[in-house]
Amino acid sequence: MENGEAKYRLRNHMEDVVSQKLDKLLPNVDMCKCEKCRMDVLAYALNLLPPKYVVTEAGDLYSRVSEFNAQSEIDVEVALTEAIKVVSNNPKHAMK
Ligand SMILES: [Zn+2]
């Protein structure tokens, strides 16, 4: 099968969950909110969390995946809180 023709894709659902949660937390957080710092927080948090791969059909919007339990929600918040602390103390770009 040609690479570009793949019908199914692997997607790390954890990435979506963490990204959405960060969008909710960020307005209340005192840190640089540029794209780089936001991505650094996501990367740091995702490295602390187990990936959750799902198979999606190309073009399909993975909306059926919602077997996230309460413990996972807490884990995501804890990881994001830690990530925000680390990134805001060590911004990886020059301060302006
Ligand atoms: Zn920044």
Side-chain angles (χ1 to χ4, degrees):
M1 189 187 280
E2 301 260 338
N3 248 350
E5 300 289 318
K7 185 171 182 203
Y8 297 99
R9 292 163 195 236
L10 271 181
R11 184 169 180 98
N12 181 4
H13 181 59
M14 185 61 84
E15 199 177 317
D16 301 319
V17 173
V18 171
S19 178
Q20 282 168 24
K21 180 74 84 181
L22 180 59
D23 286 342
K24 280 184 204 154
L25 292 179
L26 217 45
N28 305 312
V29 172
D30 181 25
M31 65 169 275
C32 173
K33 285 160 191 170
C34 75
E35 190 181 7
K36 173 77 170 98
C37 289
R38 190 178 174 280
M39 294 284 228
D40 282 340
V41 169
L42 283 180
Y44 193 99
L46 282 165
N47 281 332
L48 295 176
L49 293 160
K52 188 169 173 62
Y53 285 102
V54 294
V55 176
T56 61
E57 272 188 66
D60 186 20
L61 283 182
Y62 53 91
S63 52
R64 285 162 295 155
V65 191
S66 56
E67 358 132 2
F68 233 65
N69 62 37
Q71 184 57 48
S72 304
E73 293 269 345
I74 292 166
D75 291 345
V76 167
E77 281 204 38
V78 168
L80 273 172
T81 304
E82 175 69 16
I84 286 166
K85 196 167 70 186
V86 169
V87 172
S88 62
N89 287 335
N90 310 278
K92 292 205 181 106
H93 56 66
M95 292 303 242
K96 287 184 182 157

